[in-house]
Amino acid sequence: MENGNHSEGSANRSISTRAVDATVAAVLIVFGAVIMYSSYQLGAGWGAEGPQSGYFPFYIGLMILISAAVTLYQSVLGKADRGKVFVEYEQLKPVFKMLAPTLVYVLGVQLLGIYVASTIFIAGFMRIMGKYSWLKSLLVGGGVSVFFFWMFERQFLVPLHKGPIEAWLGF
Amino acid sequence: MEEITSLLHGFQVALSWYNIGLMFLGIILGVIIGVLPGLGGANGVAILLPLTFAMPNTSAIIMLSCIYWGALFGGAITSVLFNIPGEPWSVATTFDGYPMAQRGQAGAALTAAFTSSFVGALVAVIMITFLAPLVAKFALRFGPPEFFSVYLLTFCSFVGMGKGSPFKILAAMMIGFALAAVGMDTVTGQLRMTFGFTELLRGFDFLVAVIGLFGIGEILLTMEEGLAFKGETGKINLRIVLQTWAQLPKFWITSLRSCLVGCWMGITPGGATPASFMSYGLAKKFSKDGDKFGTGQVEGVVAPETAAHAAGTSALLPMLALGIPGSPTAAVLLGGLLIWGLQPGPLLFVEQADFVWGLIASMYLGNIAGLIVVLTMVPLFAAILRIPFSIIAPVIIVICSIGAYTVHNAMFDVWLMVLFGVVGYVFKKLDYPLAPLVLALVLGDKAEDSFRQAMLVGQGDLTIFWSNGLVGSIVTLALVMLFWPVISKVLARLRSGRLNGVPEGRAASTEQ
Amino acid sequence: MTPKLLNRVTTVFGGAVVGAVALAAAAPAALAAWEPTKSVEFIIPAGTGGGADQMARFMQGVIVKNKLMKQPLVVINKAGGAGAEGFLDVKSSKGEPHKIIITLSNLFTTPLATGVPFNWKDLTPVAMLALDQFVLWVHNDTPYKGPTDYIAAAKAAGPGKFKMAGTGSKQEDQIITVGLEKATGTKFSYIPFKGGGDVAVQLVGKHVDSTVNNPIEAVAQWRAGNLRPLCVFDDQRMPYKAKVTATMSWNDIPTCKESGVNIDYVMLRGIFMPAGVTQEQVNYYVDLFKKVRETPDWKEFMEKGAFNQSFMTGPDYVKWVEKAENTHRDLMKEAGFLAK
């Protein structure tokens, strides 16, 4: 992605829509090509009794490839969207403030289990983003996790992803 | 009227304090299950099925079917409040329900959703009461070509939704189809596009994608505007309910059409999800406010909710009358019947009249109970929007993660959800429409399966799609829908008399 | 477990149904050497609503009703990749005694047809619960009285003209269809559907000519006079002599062998555990399922679905599974279904 500077004033540094559009289109072209290749290997013909396994996916891939290629062409050479801003860096900051903790949280779920990770995530988010006191944050975070534990593991008998701490406690 | 006598008898069976208690319990459990994305009516019923062993049959089915009604009602709640569809059939509800909530009309949107659900269910139950045998016969006429024609009709009535670049619409839809094709191919038993990864064996689940694209994607978009949800300032009290009710009668045509679509889709195992999409698409095409759909129209909430609930309800009819499940939940209930020692099928109405009519009576009562429960809770639900963002946002992400995980008990799906969230954020900003992607994902593999099954039946001959009146007229109708923008222009010109050169026959054929 | 759970739900959601709940008396402790210390996962390598799912949930119900287990039994569907997802999950849980899986023929067919790497040898066999039968069904409006005249009609119509519907592709239903073709020299168009219920309805709606549904999938339509059984694919008749329709019992259905069509095929409904568990732990489950089999509910369920009630454990069971695997490999090799 280019660090485009299309908008007025150097204070609002931003990413241009065209750059993102072209990037996404390029990714889709690869995506389409992979689908076509995989389907071709599987058999993409029209057999004696109708289409083979790869028939529809092959043409689906082809259509993704074509439409993405047109979009790529339009975004690189077309006149539309010129100077349009995809997102300003100032706006991107809060987006990452949400996305980064979410990614850490999901990693936490993978490693620690959903209950422990959720407690930490909710409490941490409240403390850091909402400036709540640690006590309040931990009470809400812990409360939510205990409630879900009670509902899923005990009432609905739906086991969720658990980690070492639950295993140590014998669940 | 034999049915009325039977029904009254059914009410006698169903109306005991014990059963009414179970009814409310079932509704409340169902609403909770419906609110949690990932846990659907089918899971809810399956999970609680063994608990019903100790109950009398009629009470057991009353409680389980009420869980189902509750889930149907509950799916709308998170769709409207947070743009997260709790159930597949409430995806279409987000299109107008969420914009309404953003404008501070969450209460009105929820009221409209619940009330339309109730109307849809009521019409479907009345149909079950009086037309059961007739309708059951109709369901039997659906073989593979007919199924395909129904899916085709759903797609065709829904296209032309987006206003952006046609190439982006095409790409979005094709991505949906591509994702739907991953995993086991039913027709040949081959694995497709799994590239040797065992995590891809199960394919991409619709719910995981939707939770990410809509739920997480929306939260990320919201973040650009700062740490807050819009719409928390809306008035929240029971008067909203009455005000909304006063508006609803204007939409009677949409309601009626949605009921018909819903009943039809419920009987032929199309199900509630296609019903809601098709009904939304049709409402947009034929409403005079069609252009405003997607910006928070009450009508855009009425259409999918009515159809979804009508379909969900009428899906129980083929189960009772034929022993075929019209929906995944019906499939689990069917298993339940066997466990209780009942044999679903054509003889059930004869051999277990008490049970059947008790159940039908409970459908009336259960939906009334459901409406009461959810309507009284409207202020409560809408008040959720007042919880500060820094508390509710992480809780929503936790709920989304649980939802994504419970679909297949797979950690991989939680990662996928986050990925879909980022994709949803980027796509939304680049004007790739999400609705066609989602529709293709949910119906793509079914449509492909039925197409190829039809090809096997017809030995590779495409004319099978016009081989009888039923399939032929649905396919033709689908094509009319596809070209409706063109056709309606031609019709308009014909009416104004400015263009006389268009062949009369073509215009006439589009009137059907 | 049931009443306890309901009780909790009741307290939480208001006392509306207090009267509804029977109070649980603590079940007397069964004296087994090993017992689960946490909830046990019961994996179903198939979707909700199918035959395996029904049986597993039925057993869960029986266990709950009769308080046969102290810890909860949690049923989980892992249907992806024709059940591969479920089997791979159990395979990777080596040494975990709190996990069991119910199998159908996909224990053999899925790895053979798709090449997904698992084998029953990656699991610990616990017990065979029953064997499921297959019956050749036609619509009741057709004139065929037995398999021979049906086959003759299929032959006369020409190859591919008669349509056989079944569940899934390269799985038991198609294996039987190919077997039937090989034994008689006919050729059907095989049309795969997702579930046994769909298959039966396609036949009732006359969209196909015949099916090889399991008894439980088609019995309702048989009783309603929509379908007719021609023969059962087993070497002896089903033992149930109680009348199912006005004139016929399961026992009245001839075997295909009797009519000169020499195929038999039964499907395993058995329980497996992950590898690396102790004999004690296996014994606990063997014991549990023995108790399940003794309940009247189970017996009724078996009769309704006309199951073959063979029960095996230990070396007998292993031997049976070994033999069944070889049979499947041969059948699928002949049919050309093996993964390349």
Side-chain angles (χ1 to χ4, degrees):
Chain A
M1 262 181 247
E2 71 185 77
N3 292 346
N5 205 351
H6 297 286
S7 47
E8 314 277 310
S10 55
N12 293 337
R13 279 164 53 79
S14 59
I15 302 171
S16 79
T17 299
R18 288 175 62 204
V20 182
D21 213 7
T23 314
V24 169
V27 171
L28 287 180
I29 287 176
V30 175
F31 184 63
V34 169
I35 293 172
M36 286 171 70
Y37 173 71
S38 154
S39 308
Y40 179 74
Q41 283 194 320
L42 207 58
W46 187 285
E49 289 173 331
Q52 291 176 308
S53 271
Y55 180 82
F56 284 108
F58 182 82
Y59 288 99
I60 287 165
L62 184 66
M63 277 194 268
I64 291 176
L65 197 131
I66 293 174
S67 52
V70 175
T71 309
L72 181 66
Y73 172 81
Q74 284 176 340
S75 63
V76 174
L77 297 171
K79 293 274 187 297
D81 287 346
R82 195 157 285 243
K84 230 170 113 185
V85 172
F86 181 77
V87 68
E88 287 174 10
Y89 281 117
E90 277 307 302
Q91 288 175 312
L92 208 55
K93 251 188 232 161
V95 173
F96 272 99
K97 271 187 191 160
M98 192 77 228
L99 189 60
T102 303
L103 286 170
V104 173
Y105 165 63
V106 176
L107 188 68
V109 174
Q110 177 108 51
L111 300 175
L112 300 173
I114 211 159
Y115 300 108
V116 177
S118 300
T119 308
I120 298 170
F121 177 55
I122 295 173
F125 199 90
M126 281 176 69
R127 174 75 196 126
I128 294 162
M129 303 286 170
K131 309 275 185 282
Y132 289 92
S133 71
W134 270 116
L135 181 70
K136 230 181 193 173
S137 308
L138 281 172
L139 277 180
V140 174
V144 170
S145 289
V146 169
F147 173 73
F148 281 134
F149 183 85
W150 170 81
M151 191 156 72
F152 283 94
E153 307 283 334
R154 292 282 152 236
Q155 301 306 333
F156 287 153
L157 296 182
V158 176
L160 298 182
H161 194 73
K162 287 185 282 287
I165 295 182
E166 285 94 342
W168 180 66
L169 288 170
F171 287 106
Chain B
M1 293 298 272
E2 198 187 318
E3 286 89 358
I4 303 242
T5 330
S6 310
L7 184 63
L8 286 177
H9 177 68
F11 276 114
Q12 278 173 2
V13 176
L15 272 176
S16 70
W17 285 114
Y18 177 53
N19 286 344
I20 291 177
L22 285 179
M23 228 176 260
F24 277 95
L25 178 68
I27 293 282
I28 292 170
L29 282 175
V31 171
I32 295 172
I33 286 166
V35 165
L36 294 170
L39 277 190
N43 309 70
V45 173
I47 291 161
L48 296 170
L49 192 58
L51 307 186
T52 59
F53 243 51
M55 299 179 189
N57 296 339
T58 315
S59 306
I61 187 89
I62 286 175
M63 183 171 113
L64 291 184
S65 58
C66 280
I67 289 173
Y68 185 38
W69 311 139
L72 281 168
F73 277 117
I77 296 168
T78 42
S79 309
V80 169
L81 298 182
F82 303 118
N83 205 31
I84 303 168
E87 302 291 336
W89 53 76
S90 31
V91 172
T93 311
T94 63
F95 299 157
D96 277 280
Y98 183 64
M100 280 181 78
Q102 283 185 311
R103 286 208 314 252
Q105 298 174 336
L110 286 173
T111 308
F114 294 149
T115 314
S116 337
S117 290
F118 176 74
V119 171
L122 193 67
V123 170
V125 182
I126 292 172
M127 182 196 70
I128 290 180
T129 312
F130 295 103
L131 299 175
L134 202 73
V135 169
K137 283 218 179 71
F138 177 67
L140 279 178
R141 297 189 52 193
F142 280 73
E146 287 81 5
F147 281 138
F148 176 73
S149 67
V150 167
Y151 297 130
L152 185 69
L153 180 61
T154 311
F155 283 117
C156 290
S157 54
F158 200 74
V159 290
M161 296 294 303
K163 292 191 189 82
S165 150
F167 296 102
K168 288 186 173 175
I169 298 174
L170 183 68
M173 195 164 206
M174 288 304 138
I175 292 169
F177 279 121
L179 294 179
V182 174
M184 176 66 70
D185 171 23
T186 321
V187 178
T188 61
Q190 282 170 301
L191 291 171
R192 292 197 297 199
M193 291 187 267
T194 54
F195 305 103
F197 292 109
T198 51
E199 294 285 6
L200 288 177
L201 278 180
R202 67 179 87 82
F204 288 89
D205 193 275
F206 167 70
L207 271 169
V208 175
V210 161
I211 293 170
L213 290 172
F214 286 78
I216 306 288
E218 188 59 37
I219 288 182
L220 294 179
L221 271 180
T222 311
M223 290 303 292
E224 284 188 1
E225 316 287 319
L227 294 167
F229 275 120
K230 287 180 235 162
E232 72 269 39
T233 49
K235 265 190 301 176
I236 296 157
N237 56 43
L238 277 175
R239 260 185 57 212
I240 301 267
V241 173
L242 297 175
Q243 284 165 2
T244 314
W245 276 2
Q247 281 185 34
L248 290 179
K250 325 193 263 223
F251 306 124
W252 68 275
I253 298 184
T254 301
S255 275
L256 188 67
R257 189 193 315 113
S258 306
C259 285
L260 290 177
V261 167
C263 289
W264 176 33
M265 285 286 148
I267 298 159
T268 66
T273 313
S276 61
F277 277 103
M278 192 192 286
S279 170
Y280 184 86
L282 291 176
K284 184 179 158 72
K285 279 207 170 81
F286 295 118
S287 162
K288 60 177 172 13
D289 296 327
D291 293 341
K292 289 192 222 145
F293 268 49
T295 60
Q297 293 291 308
V298 178
E299 204 175 352
V301 176
V302 170
E305 281 294 312
T306 311
H309 218 131
T313 309
S314 50
L316 293 188
L317 176 63
M319 175 191 97
L320 291 171
L322 296 170
I324 26 168
S327 72
T329 313
V332 179
L333 283 175
L334 202 65
L337 295 184
L338 290 168
I339 291 178
W340 304 320
L342 299 173
Q343 199 152 58
L347 296 180
L348 192 67
F349 274 84
V350 184
E351 293 173 348
Q352 302 284 348
D354 262 16
F355 172 83
V356 172
W357 288 102
L359 170 62
I360 293 178
S362 86
M363 291 184 187
Y364 287 94
L365 298 170
N367 275 295
I368 293 171
L371 187 67
I372 294 170
V373 168
V374 289
L375 278 184
T376 47
M377 280 154 90
V378 163
L380 183 71
F381 295 136
I384 296 176
L385 287 177
R386 293 199 168 163
I387 299 174
F389 182 83
S390 49
I391 301 178
I392 200 72
V395 173
I396 289 174
I397 288 187
V398 168
I399 291 177
C400 286
S401 308
I402 293 177
Y405 182 80
T406 47
V407 174
H408 287 299
N409 293 285
M411 196 55 221
F412 180 71
D413 282 351
V414 184
W415 287 107
L416 266 184
M417 172 198 79
V418 179
L419 179 67
F420 274 117
V422 176
V423 170
Y425 169 75
V426 174
F427 271 24
K428 206 144 185 198
K429 298 210 76 172
L430 290 178
D431 288 331
Y432 281 91
L434 296 181
L437 192 162
V438 166
L439 184 66
L441 178 55
V442 69
L443 288 184
D445 55 339
K446 289 182 188 163
E448 189 196 340
D449 284 351
S450 56
F451 180 83
R452 289 166 61 194
Q453 283 160 355
M455 285 293 97
L456 287 170
V457 171
Q459 302 200 305
D461 187 356
L462 280 170
T463 54
I464 189 159
F465 295 114
W466 281 273
S467 60
N468 66 52
L470 181 63
V471 62
S473 44
I474 301 174
V475 170
T476 311
L477 190 64
L479 295 179
V480 171
M481 284 297 152
L482 184 62
F483 296 108
W484 182 255
V486 184
I487 292 166
S488 64
K489 258 181 211 154
V490 173
L491 280 182
R493 284 202 196 166
L494 273 183
R495 269 198 211 109
S496 63
R498 267 187 288 143
L499 198 105
N500 298 323
V502 170
E504 296 291 323
R506 187 176 164 207
S509 73
T510 61
E511 294 279 14
Q512 49 185 285
Chain C
M1 231 291 328
T2 311
K4 218 163 101 201
L5 193 146
L6 247 187
N7 235 346
R8 286 208 202 102
V9 175
T10 321
T11 3
V12 172
F13 297 111
V17 287
V18 173
V21 181
L23 279 169
L31 287 173
W34 179 87
E35 276 200 50
T37 53
K38 60 177 191 179
S39 49
V40 173
E41 293 183 7
F42 193 174
I43 310 280
I44 305 168
T48 39
D53 184 61
Q54 273 173 20
M55 189 182 263
R57 289 187 194 278
F58 178 78
M59 280 192 282
Q60 186 196 19
V62 171
I63 287 169
V64 168
K65 186 180 175 187
N66 297 293
K67 304 187 188 72
L68 300 178
M69 270 176 85
K70 282 185 201 151
Q71 294 287 344
L73 183 66
V74 179
V75 174
I76 299 172
N77 296 81
K78 282 186 182 279
E85 188 194 352
F87 290 115
L88 288 173
D89 178 52
V90 178
K91 181 185 172 185
S92 65
S93 314
K94 216 168 194 178
E96 170 60 81
H98 297 95
K99 200 171 251 186
I100 54 177
I101 185 166
I102 187 167
T103 69
L104 36 155
S105 283
N106 63 359
L107 172 65
F108 310 117
T109 54
T110 300
L112 287 171
T114 62
V116 176
F118 71 86
N119 184 280
W120 66 271
K121 286 173 188 136
D122 300 328
L123 316 173
T124 308
V126 176
M128 173 194 288
L129 295 173
L131 294 170
D132 212 343
Q133 307 277 9
F134 291 83
V135 174
L136 180 63
W137 302 90
V138 291
H139 198 283
N140 206 18
D141 293 350
T142 54
Y144 317 114
K145 292 280 167 264
T148 29
D149 48 346
Y150 176 66
I151 299 284
K155 261 187 197 159
K161 290 292 173 214
F162 269 47
K163 290 159 231 148
M164 176 78 88
T167 313
S169 188
K170 297 178 187 166
Q171 295 177 30
E172 56 278 0
D173 285 10
Q174 196 172 8
I175 290 175
I176 296 174
T177 306
V178 171
L180 192 62
E181 288 173 349
K182 290 251 154 88
T184 60
T186 42
K187 180 93 186 81
F188 294 96
S189 283
Y190 177 80
I191 300 159
F193 289 89
K194 270 201 171 129
D198 299 340
V199 173
V201 172
Q202 290 299 316
L203 182 57
V204 175
K206 299 185 189 170
H207 302 286
V208 295
D209 299 294
S210 58
T211 69
V212 289
N213 269 148
N214 301 124
I216 204 163
E217 293 167 335
V219 59
Q221 304 296 347
W222 180 30
R223 295 183 62 223
N226 291 329
L227 301 186
R228 186 190 313 139
L230 293 182
C231 65
V232 56
F233 295 97
D234 199 358
D235 47 13
Q236 53 194 8
R237 290 187 178 204
M238 292 176 275
Y240 305 98
K241 292 204 168 107
K243 290 267 178 276
V244 178
T245 66
T247 53
M248 277 181 89
S249 70
W250 289 113
N251 188 246
D252 294 329
I253 303 174
T255 66
C256 297
K257 267 192 186 149
E258 281 174 50
S259 328
V261 180
N262 202 357
I263 326 164
D264 60 290
Y265 186 93
V266 286
M267 176 154 73
L268 172 64
R269 301 281 189 196
I271 302 289
F272 287 77
M273 283 176 77
V277 292
T278 65
Q279 190 55 42
E280 259 188 330
Q281 289 161 340
V282 175
N283 288 346
Y284 171 82
Y285 292 104
V286 171
D287 233 45
L288 176 70
F289 291 111
K290 270 189 186 149
K291 281 183 212 148
V292 169
R293 278 171 49 84
E294 278 154 22
T295 60
D297 289 315
W298 175 262
K299 284 176 182 147
E300 202 192 322
F301 182 74
M302 285 289 109
E303 172 145 13
K304 229 169 226 149
F307 288 95
N308 176 335
Q309 295 199 36
S310 312
F311 183 75
M312 283 182 200
T313 56
D316 290 348
Y317 183 36
V318 176
K319 215 179 273 166
W320 190 94
V321 173
E322 238 162 28
K323 196 172 152 245
E325 190 195 16
N326 288 331
T327 316
H328 277 94
R329 187 175 293 119
D330 293 345
L331 286 171
M332 290 180 69
K333 197 172 174 187
E334 266 179 59
F337 291 167
L338 291 184
K340 281 156 212 151

